[in-house]
Amino acid sequence: MTSPFFASIAVTAFAVAFLHAALPTHWLPFVLVGRAQKWSTGRTLGVTLLAGVGHVGLTIALGLALVLAGMALQPSLGGLFHWIVGGLMVAVGVFYIVRGRHNHALPEASRRIYASDRAAIAALVTLLTLSPCEAFLPYYLAGMEHGWVAFLVLSAILTAATAAGMLIFTSLSLAGFKRLGLQWVERYEETILGVALVLVGLAVAFLKT
């Protein structure tokens, strides 16, 4: 847990989770719906945080399933396991880089006017919950050899980075910063995530500790 290698994984994981949360699809819909429903700033941020909890919760659940599967397979794979994990991260990274040519569209929830606040909240929370941060999942495998403490640390990092990203950019937009200069994030987010995954994957494969 104190190894420089795990520290580098943790730092990169925070950056990936924060960058993912900074994507406009993770905060702009809350601003738009909040304005349409005439919500206060506090209520808009509360709904944003609630959706973030669902988003993080499903990601952690998927990470847990991935780690349990990895633990079941590791004894039979032996020394090949870190090569497989590294190769998987590189493959996912390449997929993100290739897919990065396409821009994200805002969720349909941000374009609708709801008859009730309950319907608006349910739609926003459901849409974000069902869109887990899949780019973070390989980091659970990368940290698996450091035990369950590493899983908890990574889950805490995911939670903190996601909450920080979503709340910060929602707050800035509500405060009147309509142009936050994040067009480059929307355009290059998947490319940046892909490069990060490839680099960490290579490190996992060749620098196992």
Side-chain angles (χ1 to χ4, degrees):
M1 280 299 300
T2 59
S3 73
F5 183 61
F6 180 78
S8 67
I9 290 177
V11 170
T12 309
F14 183 92
V16 166
F18 185 84
L19 180 62
H20 188 75
L23 191 70
T25 52
H26 285 64
W27 52 266
L28 187 55
F30 300 92
V31 174
L32 298 178
V33 172
R35 287 173 178 168
Q37 299 296 121
K38 302 187 185 308
W39 291 344
S40 66
T41 297
R43 184 162 196 177
T44 302
L45 292 176
V47 174
T48 302
L49 185 59
L50 179 63
V53 169
H55 181 66
V56 168
L58 182 58
T59 304
I60 292 175
L62 292 174
L64 177 60
L66 198 59
V67 168
L68 290 175
M71 291 175 66
L73 291 173
Q74 188 175 21
S76 60
L77 295 174
L80 294 176
F81 186 75
H82 70 285
W83 288 99
I84 294 173
V85 173
L88 176 63
M89 295 186 77
V90 170
V92 173
V94 171
F95 171 75
Y96 268 97
I97 292 172
V98 172
R99 200 176 73 171
R101 298 176 182 178
H102 304 284
N103 291 332
H104 293 265
L106 287 178
E108 186 64 27
S110 65
R111 305 190 191 112
R112 296 176 55 187
I113 298 177
Y114 296 91
S116 70
D117 286 350
R118 182 176 298 180
I121 294 171
L124 290 170
V125 172
T126 299
L127 284 173
L128 197 61
T129 297
L130 296 180
S131 301
C133 183
E134 66 276 5
F136 194 89
L137 295 177
Y139 286 91
Y140 281 118
L141 283 179
M144 195 182 77
E145 292 187 5
H146 295 275
W148 288 109
V149 174
F151 179 87
L152 294 176
V153 169
L154 289 171
S155 296
I157 288 172
L158 172 65
T159 302
T162 300
M166 292 179 65
L167 292 178
I168 286 173
F169 293 108
T170 300
S171 299
L172 288 174
S173 184
L174 289 172
F177 294 85
K178 295 182 179 179
R179 295 186 63 83
L180 300 175
L182 293 175
Q183 293 84 355
W184 68 272
V185 175
E186 186 172 9
R187 183 175 180 181
Y188 297 112
E189 180 236 9
E190 291 193 328
T191 300
I192 296 171
L193 295 181
V195 170
L197 283 166
V198 168
L199 292 177
V200 174
L202 291 173
V204 169
F206 292 100
L207 303 174
K208 175 194 173 186
T209 59

Short mmCIF file of all heavy atoms in Angstrom, two decimals, residues 110-178:
data_model
loop_
_atom_site.label_atom_id
_atom_site.label_comp_id
_atom_site.label_asym_id
_atom_site.label_seq_id
_atom_site.Cartn_x
_atom_site.Cartn_y
_atom_site.Cartn_z
N SER A 110 -31.90 16.36 -20.16
CA SER A 110 -31.64 17.79 -20.05
C SER A 110 -32.45 18.60 -21.05
O SER A 110 -32.47 19.82 -20.98
CB SER A 110 -30.15 18.06 -20.27
OG SER A 110 -29.77 17.72 -21.60
N ARG A 111 -33.11 17.93 -21.99
CA ARG A 111 -33.85 18.65 -23.01
C ARG A 111 -35.36 18.63 -22.76
O ARG A 111 -36.13 19.19 -23.52
CB ARG A 111 -33.57 18.03 -24.39
CG ARG A 111 -32.10 17.94 -24.74
CD ARG A 111 -31.92 17.55 -26.20
NE ARG A 111 -30.52 17.22 -26.46
CZ ARG A 111 -30.09 16.01 -26.74
NH1 ARG A 111 -30.95 15.00 -26.79
NH2 ARG A 111 -28.82 15.78 -26.97
N ARG A 112 -35.78 17.95 -21.72
CA ARG A 112 -37.21 17.81 -21.45
C ARG A 112 -37.65 18.72 -20.32
O ARG A 112 -36.88 19.09 -19.45
CB ARG A 112 -37.53 16.35 -21.07
CG ARG A 112 -37.26 15.35 -22.19
CD ARG A 112 -37.50 13.93 -21.72
NE ARG A 112 -38.82 13.76 -21.16
CZ ARG A 112 -39.24 12.65 -20.55
NH1 ARG A 112 -38.41 11.63 -20.41
NH2 ARG A 112 -40.45 12.56 -20.06
N ILE A 113 -38.92 19.08 -20.37
CA ILE A 113 -39.54 19.83 -19.28
C ILE A 113 -40.46 18.86 -18.53
O ILE A 113 -41.30 18.20 -19.12
CB ILE A 113 -40.36 21.01 -19.81
CG1 ILE A 113 -39.43 21.99 -20.54
CG2 ILE A 113 -41.08 21.73 -18.68
CD1 ILE A 113 -40.16 23.15 -21.17
N TYR A 114 -40.27 18.77 -17.21
CA TYR A 114 -40.98 17.78 -16.42
C TYR A 114 -42.16 18.40 -15.69
O TYR A 114 -42.11 19.56 -15.27
CB TYR A 114 -40.03 17.12 -15.42
CG TYR A 114 -38.92 16.35 -16.10
CD1 TYR A 114 -37.71 16.97 -16.41
CD2 TYR A 114 -39.09 15.01 -16.45
CE1 TYR A 114 -36.70 16.27 -17.05
CE2 TYR A 114 -38.08 14.31 -17.08
CZ TYR A 114 -36.88 14.95 -17.38
OH TYR A 114 -35.88 14.27 -18.01
N ALA A 115 -43.20 17.59 -15.54
CA ALA A 115 -44.40 18.07 -14.86
C ALA A 115 -44.18 18.20 -13.37
O ALA A 115 -44.85 18.99 -12.70
CB ALA A 115 -45.57 17.11 -15.14
N SER A 116 -43.26 17.44 -12.83
CA SER A 116 -43.00 17.49 -11.39
C SER A 116 -41.51 17.40 -11.11
O SER A 116 -40.75 16.86 -11.93
CB SER A 116 -43.73 16.35 -10.67
OG SER A 116 -43.15 15.10 -10.99
N ASP A 117 -41.11 17.91 -9.96
CA ASP A 117 -39.71 17.81 -9.56
C ASP A 117 -39.31 16.36 -9.35
O ASP A 117 -38.17 15.98 -9.66
CB ASP A 117 -39.49 18.59 -8.26
CG ASP A 117 -39.50 20.09 -8.49
OD1 ASP A 117 -39.49 20.51 -9.66
OD2 ASP A 117 -39.51 20.84 -7.49
N ARG A 118 -40.24 15.56 -8.85
CA ARG A 118 -39.93 14.15 -8.59
C ARG A 118 -39.54 13.44 -9.89
O ARG A 118 -38.58 12.65 -9.92
CB ARG A 118 -41.13 13.46 -7.94
CG ARG A 118 -40.88 12.00 -7.60
CD ARG A 118 -42.06 11.40 -6.87
NE ARG A 118 -42.31 12.09 -5.60
CZ ARG A 118 -43.28 11.76 -4.76
NH1 ARG A 118 -44.14 10.78 -5.08
NH2 ARG A 118 -43.43 12.42 -3.63
N ALA A 119 -40.28 13.72 -10.97
CA ALA A 119 -39.98 13.09 -12.25
C ALA A 119 -38.62 13.56 -12.77
O ALA A 119 -37.84 12.76 -13.31
CB ALA A 119 -41.07 13.41 -13.27
N ALA A 120 -38.33 14.84 -12.60
CA ALA A 120 -37.05 15.39 -13.06
C ALA A 120 -35.89 14.76 -12.31
O ALA A 120 -34.88 14.36 -12.90
CB ALA A 120 -37.04 16.90 -12.89
N ILE A 121 -36.03 14.67 -10.98
CA ILE A 121 -34.97 14.08 -10.16
C ILE A 121 -34.77 12.62 -10.50
O ILE A 121 -33.63 12.15 -10.66
CB ILE A 121 -35.30 14.25 -8.66
CG1 ILE A 121 -35.28 15.74 -8.28
CG2 ILE A 121 -34.32 13.46 -7.80
CD1 ILE A 121 -35.80 16.02 -6.89
N ALA A 122 -35.86 11.89 -10.64
CA ALA A 122 -35.77 10.46 -10.96
C ALA A 122 -35.07 10.24 -12.29
O ALA A 122 -34.24 9.33 -12.42
CB ALA A 122 -37.17 9.84 -10.99
N ALA A 123 -35.39 11.07 -13.28
CA ALA A 123 -34.78 10.91 -14.60
C ALA A 123 -33.28 11.19 -14.54
O ALA A 123 -32.47 10.43 -15.09
CB ALA A 123 -35.45 11.84 -15.60
N LEU A 124 -32.89 12.28 -13.88
CA LEU A 124 -31.48 12.64 -13.81
C LEU A 124 -30.67 11.59 -13.05
O LEU A 124 -29.59 11.18 -13.48
CB LEU A 124 -31.32 14.01 -13.15
CG LEU A 124 -31.80 15.22 -13.97
CD1 LEU A 124 -31.81 16.46 -13.10
CD2 LEU A 124 -30.91 15.42 -15.18
N VAL A 125 -31.19 11.17 -11.91
CA VAL A 125 -30.48 10.19 -11.09
C VAL A 125 -30.36 8.85 -11.81
O VAL A 125 -29.29 8.23 -11.82
CB VAL A 125 -31.19 10.00 -9.73
CG1 VAL A 125 -30.56 8.84 -8.95
CG2 VAL A 125 -31.10 11.29 -8.91
N THR A 126 -31.44 8.42 -12.44
CA THR A 126 -31.43 7.13 -13.14
C THR A 126 -30.45 7.13 -14.29
O THR A 126 -29.66 6.19 -14.46
CB THR A 126 -32.84 6.79 -13.66
OG1 THR A 126 -33.75 6.71 -12.55
CG2 THR A 126 -32.84 5.47 -14.41
N LEU A 127 -30.47 8.19 -15.09
CA LEU A 127 -29.59 8.25 -16.26
C LEU A 127 -28.12 8.22 -15.86
O LEU A 127 -27.31 7.52 -16.49
CB LEU A 127 -29.89 9.51 -17.07
CG LEU A 127 -31.16 9.46 -17.92
CD1 LEU A 127 -31.45 10.81 -18.55
CD2 LEU A 127 -31.03 8.40 -19.01
N LEU A 128 -27.76 8.96 -14.82
CA LEU A 128 -26.35 8.98 -14.43
C LEU A 128 -25.95 7.70 -13.70
O LEU A 128 -24.83 7.21 -13.87
CB LEU A 128 -26.06 10.20 -13.55
CG LEU A 128 -24.57 10.55 -13.43
CD1 LEU A 128 -23.98 10.88 -14.79
CD2 LEU A 128 -24.36 11.72 -12.48
N THR A 129 -26.85 7.15 -12.91
CA THR A 129 -26.55 5.90 -12.21
C THR A 129 -26.28 4.77 -13.19
O THR A 129 -25.38 3.95 -12.98
CB THR A 129 -27.72 5.51 -11.28
OG1 THR A 129 -27.89 6.52 -10.28
CG2 THR A 129 -27.45 4.17 -10.60
N LEU A 130 -27.05 4.73 -14.26
CA LEU A 130 -26.90 3.67 -15.25
C LEU A 130 -25.78 3.94 -16.24
O LEU A 130 -25.65 3.22 -17.23
CB LEU A 130 -28.23 3.47 -15.99
CG LEU A 130 -29.40 2.99 -15.12
CD1 LEU A 130 -30.66 2.83 -15.95
CD2 LEU A 130 -29.06 1.69 -14.40
N SER A 131 -24.98 4.97 -15.98
CA SER A 131 -23.81 5.27 -16.82
C SER A 131 -22.56 5.27 -15.94
O SER A 131 -22.00 6.33 -15.63
CB SER A 131 -23.97 6.62 -17.50
OG SER A 131 -25.14 6.64 -18.30
N PRO A 132 -22.12 4.11 -15.47
CA PRO A 132 -20.98 4.05 -14.55
C PRO A 132 -19.70 4.54 -15.20
O PRO A 132 -19.60 4.61 -16.43
CB PRO A 132 -20.89 2.56 -14.19
CG PRO A 132 -21.49 1.87 -15.36
CD PRO A 132 -22.60 2.77 -15.83
N CYS A 133 -18.73 4.87 -14.38
CA CYS A 133 -17.43 5.32 -14.87
C CYS A 133 -16.60 4.09 -15.25
O CYS A 133 -15.75 3.63 -14.49
CB CYS A 133 -16.72 6.15 -13.80
SG CYS A 133 -15.14 6.84 -14.35
N GLU A 134 -16.88 3.56 -16.44
CA GLU A 134 -16.21 2.32 -16.85
C GLU A 134 -14.71 2.49 -17.01
O GLU A 134 -13.95 1.52 -16.90
CB GLU A 134 -16.83 1.78 -18.15
CG GLU A 134 -16.63 2.64 -19.38
CD GLU A 134 -17.64 3.75 -19.53
OE1 GLU A 134 -18.47 3.93 -18.61
OE2 GLU A 134 -17.59 4.43 -20.56
N ALA A 135 -14.26 3.71 -17.26
CA ALA A 135 -12.81 3.94 -17.41
C ALA A 135 -12.06 3.70 -16.11
O ALA A 135 -10.85 3.45 -16.12
CB ALA A 135 -12.56 5.37 -17.90
N PHE A 136 -12.77 3.77 -14.98
CA PHE A 136 -12.12 3.58 -13.68
C PHE A 136 -11.98 2.11 -13.32
O PHE A 136 -11.12 1.75 -12.51
CB PHE A 136 -12.94 4.30 -12.60
CG PHE A 136 -12.22 4.47 -11.28
CD1 PHE A 136 -11.43 5.59 -11.05
CD2 PHE A 136 -12.33 3.51 -10.28
CE1 PHE A 136 -10.76 5.76 -9.84
CE2 PHE A 136 -11.66 3.67 -9.07
CZ PHE A 136 -10.87 4.79 -8.85
N LEU A 137 -12.80 1.26 -13.89
CA LEU A 137 -12.86 -0.15 -13.48
C LEU A 137 -11.51 -0.88 -13.58
O LEU A 137 -11.16 -1.64 -12.66
CB LEU A 137 -13.92 -0.89 -14.30
CG LEU A 137 -15.36 -0.44 -14.06
CD1 LEU A 137 -16.31 -1.20 -14.99
CD2 LEU A 137 -15.75 -0.66 -12.60
N PRO A 138 -10.73 -0.68 -14.64
CA PRO A 138 -9.44 -1.40 -14.70
C PRO A 138 -8.50 -1.06 -13.55
O PRO A 138 -7.61 -1.86 -13.22
CB PRO A 138 -8.86 -0.95 -16.05
CG PRO A 138 -10.05 -0.57 -16.88
CD PRO A 138 -11.00 0.05 -15.89
N TYR A 139 -8.69 0.10 -12.93
CA TYR A 139 -7.81 0.47 -11.82
C TYR A 139 -8.03 -0.45 -10.62
O TYR A 139 -7.11 -0.65 -9.82
CB TYR A 139 -8.03 1.94 -11.43
CG TYR A 139 -7.42 2.88 -12.43
CD1 TYR A 139 -8.15 3.35 -13.51
CD2 TYR A 139 -6.09 3.27 -12.32
CE1 TYR A 139 -7.59 4.20 -14.45
CE2 TYR A 139 -5.52 4.12 -13.25
CZ TYR A 139 -6.27 4.57 -14.32
OH TYR A 139 -5.71 5.41 -15.25
N TYR A 140 -9.24 -0.97 -10.48
CA TYR A 140 -9.48 -1.93 -9.39
C TYR A 140 -8.64 -3.19 -9.59
O TYR A 140 -8.08 -3.74 -8.64
CB TYR A 140 -10.96 -2.30 -9.33
CG TYR A 140 -11.82 -1.26 -8.65
CD1 TYR A 140 -12.83 -0.61 -9.33
CD2 TYR A 140 -11.63 -0.96 -7.31
CE1 TYR A 140 -13.63 0.34 -8.70
CE2 TYR A 140 -12.42 -0.02 -6.66
CZ TYR A 140 -13.41 0.63 -7.36
OH TYR A 140 -14.20 1.56 -6.73
N LEU A 141 -8.54 -3.65 -10.84
CA LEU A 141 -7.70 -4.82 -11.10
C LEU A 141 -6.23 -4.49 -10.91
O LEU A 141 -5.46 -5.30 -10.38
CB LEU A 141 -7.94 -5.31 -12.53
CG LEU A 141 -9.22 -6.11 -12.79
CD1 LEU A 141 -9.31 -6.50 -14.25
CD2 LEU A 141 -9.28 -7.35 -11.90
N ALA A 142 -5.83 -3.28 -11.32
CA ALA A 142 -4.43 -2.89 -11.18
C ALA A 142 -4.00 -2.85 -9.72
O ALA A 142 -2.85 -3.15 -9.39
CB ALA A 142 -4.20 -1.53 -11.84
N GLY A 143 -4.93 -2.50 -8.82
CA GLY A 143 -4.59 -2.42 -7.41
C GLY A 143 -4.93 -3.65 -6.61
O GLY A 143 -4.72 -3.69 -5.38
N MET A 144 -5.40 -4.69 -7.29
CA MET A 144 -5.91 -5.88 -6.60
C MET A 144 -4.86 -6.57 -5.74
O MET A 144 -5.16 -7.06 -4.64
CB MET A 144 -6.47 -6.86 -7.63
CG MET A 144 -7.34 -7.94 -7.03
SD MET A 144 -7.91 -9.10 -8.29
CE MET A 144 -6.43 -10.07 -8.53
N GLU A 145 -3.62 -6.60 -6.21
CA GLU A 145 -2.58 -7.31 -5.47
C GLU A 145 -2.24 -6.63 -4.15
O GLU A 145 -1.53 -7.19 -3.31
CB GLU A 145 -1.33 -7.45 -6.32
CG GLU A 145 -1.53 -8.38 -7.52
CD GLU A 145 -0.24 -8.65 -8.26
OE1 GLU A 145 0.82 -8.18 -7.79
OE2 GLU A 145 -0.28 -9.34 -9.29
N HIS A 146 -2.73 -5.42 -3.95
CA HIS A 146 -2.50 -4.72 -2.69
C HIS A 146 -3.63 -4.95 -1.68
O HIS A 146 -3.66 -4.31 -0.64
CB HIS A 146 -2.33 -3.22 -2.97
CG HIS A 146 -1.10 -2.91 -3.78
ND1 HIS A 146 0.14 -2.73 -3.22
CD2 HIS A 146 -0.94 -2.78 -5.11
CE1 HIS A 146 1.02 -2.49 -4.18
NE2 HIS A 146 0.40 -2.51 -5.33
N GLY A 147 -4.56 -5.85 -2.01
CA GLY A 147 -5.58 -6.25 -1.06
C GLY A 147 -6.82 -5.36 -1.01
O GLY A 147 -6.98 -4.43 -1.79
N TRP A 148 -7.66 -5.69 -0.02
CA TRP A 148 -8.94 -4.99 0.11
C TRP A 148 -8.78 -3.55 0.57
O TRP A 148 -9.63 -2.71 0.29
CB TRP A 148 -9.85 -5.75 1.06
CG TRP A 148 -10.37 -7.02 0.47
CD1 TRP A 148 -10.01 -8.29 0.84
CD2 TRP A 148 -11.28 -7.15 -0.61
NE1 TRP A 148 -10.66 -9.20 0.04
CE2 TRP A 148 -11.45 -8.54 -0.85
CE3 TRP A 148 -11.98 -6.25 -1.41
CZ2 TRP A 148 -12.28 -9.03 -1.85
CZ3 TRP A 148 -12.81 -6.72 -2.41
CH2 TRP A 148 -12.96 -8.10 -2.63
N VAL A 149 -7.69 -3.26 1.25
CA VAL A 149 -7.45 -1.86 1.63
C VAL A 149 -7.29 -1.01 0.37
O VAL A 149 -7.79 0.12 0.30
CB VAL A 149 -6.20 -1.74 2.52
CG1 VAL A 149 -5.88 -0.27 2.78
CG2 VAL A 149 -6.41 -2.48 3.84
N ALA A 150 -6.61 -1.56 -0.64
CA ALA A 150 -6.45 -0.84 -1.90
C ALA A 150 -7.80 -0.62 -2.56
O ALA A 150 -8.06 0.45 -3.14
CB ALA A 150 -5.53 -1.62 -2.83
N PHE A 151 -8.68 -1.62 -2.49
CA PHE A 151 -10.03 -1.48 -3.06
C PHE A 151 -10.77 -0.33 -2.38
O PHE A 151 -11.41 0.49 -3.04
CB PHE A 151 -10.80 -2.78 -2.89
CG PHE A 151 -12.20 -2.72 -3.43
CD1 PHE A 151 -12.47 -2.98 -4.77
CD2 PHE A 151 -13.27 -2.39 -2.60
CE1 PHE A 151 -13.76 -2.92 -5.27
CE2 PHE A 151 -14.56 -2.32 -3.08
CZ PHE A 151 -14.81 -2.59 -4.42
N LEU A 152 -10.67 -0.26 -1.06
CA LEU A 152 -11.34 0.81 -0.32
C LEU A 152 -10.73 2.17 -0.64
O LEU A 152 -11.45 3.17 -0.79
CB LEU A 152 -11.25 0.53 1.19
CG LEU A 152 -12.01 -0.70 1.68
CD1 LEU A 152 -11.77 -0.90 3.18
CD2 LEU A 152 -13.51 -0.57 1.40
N VAL A 153 -9.41 2.22 -0.76
CA VAL A 153 -8.74 3.48 -1.09
C VAL A 153 -9.17 3.95 -2.47
O VAL A 153 -9.50 5.13 -2.67
CB VAL A 153 -7.21 3.32 -1.03
CG1 VAL A 153 -6.51 4.54 -1.63
CG2 VAL A 153 -6.75 3.10 0.40
N LEU A 154 -9.20 3.05 -3.44
CA LEU A 154 -9.60 3.41 -4.79
C LEU A 154 -11.07 3.84 -4.84
O LEU A 154 -11.43 4.77 -5.56
CB LEU A 154 -9.35 2.25 -5.75
CG LEU A 154 -7.88 1.95 -6.06
CD1 LEU A 154 -7.75 0.65 -6.84
CD2 LEU A 154 -7.27 3.10 -6.84
N SER A 155 -11.91 3.18 -4.06
CA SER A 155 -13.32 3.56 -4.01
C SER A 155 -13.49 4.95 -3.41
O SER A 155 -14.32 5.75 -3.86
CB SER A 155 -14.12 2.53 -3.18
OG SER A 155 -14.10 1.26 -3.81
N ALA A 156 -12.69 5.25 -2.38
CA ALA A 156 -12.73 6.58 -1.78
C ALA A 156 -12.25 7.64 -2.77
O ALA A 156 -12.80 8.75 -2.85
CB ALA A 156 -11.88 6.61 -0.51
N ILE A 157 -11.21 7.30 -3.53
CA ILE A 157 -10.70 8.22 -4.55
C ILE A 157 -11.76 8.48 -5.61
O ILE A 157 -11.99 9.63 -6.02
CB ILE A 157 -9.43 7.63 -5.20
CG1 ILE A 157 -8.25 7.70 -4.22
CG2 ILE A 157 -9.09 8.35 -6.50
CD1 ILE A 157 -7.02 6.97 -4.69
N LEU A 158 -12.41 7.42 -6.07
CA LEU A 158 -13.48 7.56 -7.06
C LEU A 158 -14.59 8.46 -6.54
O LEU A 158 -15.08 9.36 -7.25
CB LEU A 158 -14.04 6.18 -7.40
CG LEU A 158 -15.30 6.15 -8.28
CD1 LEU A 158 -15.01 6.71 -9.66
CD2 LEU A 158 -15.86 4.73 -8.37
N THR A 159 -14.99 8.23 -5.29
CA THR A 159 -16.07 9.03 -4.69
C THR A 159 -15.69 10.49 -4.58
O THR A 159 -16.45 11.39 -4.96
CB THR A 159 -16.43 8.47 -3.30
OG1 THR A 159 -16.81 7.09 -3.42
CG2 THR A 159 -17.57 9.26 -2.68
N ALA A 160 -14.50 10.75 -4.06
CA ALA A 160 -14.05 12.13 -3.86
C ALA A 160 -13.87 12.87 -5.18
O ALA A 160 -14.31 14.02 -5.32
CB ALA A 160 -12.74 12.14 -3.07
N ALA A 161 -13.24 12.23 -6.15
CA ALA A 161 -12.98 12.88 -7.42
C ALA A 161 -14.27 13.15 -8.18
O ALA A 161 -14.45 14.22 -8.78
CB ALA A 161 -12.05 12.02 -8.27
N THR A 162 -15.20 12.19 -8.15
CA THR A 162 -16.47 12.36 -8.85
C THR A 162 -17.30 13.47 -8.22
O THR A 162 -17.83 14.35 -8.91
CB THR A 162 -17.27 11.05 -8.85
OG1 THR A 162 -16.51 10.03 -9.50
CG2 THR A 162 -18.60 11.22 -9.56
N ALA A 163 -17.41 13.44 -6.89
CA ALA A 163 -18.19 14.47 -6.20
C ALA A 163 -17.57 15.85 -6.42
O ALA A 163 -18.29 16.83 -6.69
CB ALA A 163 -18.25 14.16 -4.70
N ALA A 164 -16.25 15.93 -6.33
CA ALA A 164 -15.58 17.22 -6.53
C ALA A 164 -15.82 17.76 -7.92
O ALA A 164 -16.19 18.93 -8.11
CB ALA A 164 -14.09 17.08 -6.27
N GLY A 165 -15.63 16.91 -8.93
CA GLY A 165 -15.81 17.35 -10.31
C GLY A 165 -17.23 17.80 -10.59
O GLY A 165 -17.45 18.89 -11.14
N MET A 166 -18.20 17.00 -10.21
CA MET A 166 -19.60 17.33 -10.50
C MET A 166 -20.05 18.58 -9.77
O MET A 166 -20.71 19.46 -10.34
CB MET A 166 -20.50 16.14 -10.14
CG MET A 166 -20.30 14.93 -11.05
SD MET A 166 -21.37 13.53 -10.58
CE MET A 166 -22.99 14.23 -10.91
N LEU A 167 -19.71 18.69 -8.49
CA LEU A 167 -20.17 19.84 -7.70
C LEU A 167 -19.46 21.12 -8.09
O LEU A 167 -20.08 22.19 -8.14
CB LEU A 167 -19.98 19.55 -6.21
CG LEU A 167 -20.87 18.45 -5.63
CD1 LEU A 167 -20.54 18.22 -4.16
CD2 LEU A 167 -22.36 18.80 -5.79
N ILE A 168 -18.17 21.02 -8.37
CA ILE A 168 -17.42 22.22 -8.74
C ILE A 168 -17.95 22.82 -10.03
O ILE A 168 -18.25 24.03 -10.11
CB ILE A 168 -15.92 21.90 -8.89
CG1 ILE A 168 -15.28 21.71 -7.51
CG2 ILE A 168 -15.19 23.02 -9.66
CD1 ILE A 168 -13.84 21.22 -7.56
N PHE A 169 -18.13 22.01 -11.06
CA PHE A 169 -18.54 22.55 -12.35
C PHE A 169 -20.02 22.92 -12.38
O PHE A 169 -20.41 23.86 -13.07
CB PHE A 169 -18.18 21.57 -13.46
CG PHE A 169 -16.70 21.43 -13.63
CD1 PHE A 169 -16.04 20.27 -13.25
CD2 PHE A 169 -15.96 22.47 -14.16
CE1 PHE A 169 -14.67 20.16 -13.39
CE2 PHE A 169 -14.58 22.37 -14.30
CZ PHE A 169 -13.93 21.22 -13.91
N THR A 170 -20.83 22.22 -11.59
CA THR A 170 -22.23 22.63 -11.46
C THR A 170 -22.31 23.98 -10.76
O THR A 170 -23.05 24.88 -11.19
CB THR A 170 -23.04 21.59 -10.67
OG1 THR A 170 -22.99 20.33 -11.34
CG2 THR A 170 -24.51 22.00 -10.55
N SER A 171 -21.54 24.14 -9.71
CA SER A 171 -21.54 25.41 -8.95
C SER A 171 -21.06 26.57 -9.81
O SER A 171 -21.65 27.66 -9.79
CB SER A 171 -20.65 25.29 -7.71
OG SER A 171 -21.12 24.29 -6.84
N LEU A 172 -20.00 26.36 -10.56
CA LEU A 172 -19.47 27.42 -11.41
C LEU A 172 -20.49 27.85 -12.46
O LEU A 172 -20.68 29.04 -12.71
CB LEU A 172 -18.18 26.96 -12.09
CG LEU A 172 -16.95 26.84 -11.21
CD1 LEU A 172 -15.79 26.23 -11.99
CD2 LEU A 172 -16.55 28.20 -10.65
N SER A 173 -21.16 26.87 -13.05
CA SER A 173 -22.15 27.19 -14.06
C SER A 173 -23.34 27.94 -13.46
O SER A 173 -23.83 28.92 -14.02
CB SER A 173 -22.64 25.91 -14.76
OG SER A 173 -23.53 26.21 -15.80
N LEU A 174 -23.79 27.50 -12.29
CA LEU A 174 -24.90 28.17 -11.62
C LEU A 174 -24.53 29.59 -11.21
O LEU A 174 -25.38 30.48 -11.15
CB LEU A 174 -25.33 27.37 -10.39
CG LEU A 174 -26.04 26.05 -10.65
CD1 LEU A 174 -26.22 25.28 -9.35
CD2 LEU A 174 -27.39 26.28 -11.32
N ALA A 175 -23.25 29.81 -10.93
CA ALA A 175 -22.78 31.13 -10.52
C ALA A 175 -22.66 32.10 -11.69
O ALA A 175 -22.37 33.27 -11.49
CB ALA A 175 -21.45 31.01 -9.80
N GLY A 176 -22.85 31.60 -12.90
CA GLY A 176 -22.83 32.48 -14.06
C GLY A 176 -21.68 32.29 -15.00
O GLY A 176 -21.55 33.00 -15.99
N PHE A 177 -20.82 31.30 -14.72
CA PHE A 177 -19.71 31.02 -15.63
C PHE A 177 -20.22 30.11 -16.75
O PHE A 177 -20.07 28.90 -16.70
CB PHE A 177 -18.55 30.35 -14.89
CG PHE A 177 -17.91 31.23 -13.88
CD1 PHE A 177 -18.42 31.34 -12.58
CD2 PHE A 177 -16.79 31.98 -14.20
CE1 PHE A 177 -17.83 32.16 -11.65
CE2 PHE A 177 -16.18 32.79 -13.26
CZ PHE A 177 -16.71 32.90 -11.99
N LYS A 178 -20.86 30.75 -17.74
CA LYS A 178 -21.52 29.96 -18.78
C LYS A 178 -20.52 29.30 -19.72
O LYS A 178 -20.81 28.28 -20.32
CB LYS A 178 -22.48 30.85 -19.57
CG LYS A 178 -23.64 31.37 -18.72
CD LYS A 178 -24.59 32.20 -19.54
CE LYS A 178 -25.75 32.70 -18.69
NZ LYS A 178 -26.69 33.53 -19.46
#
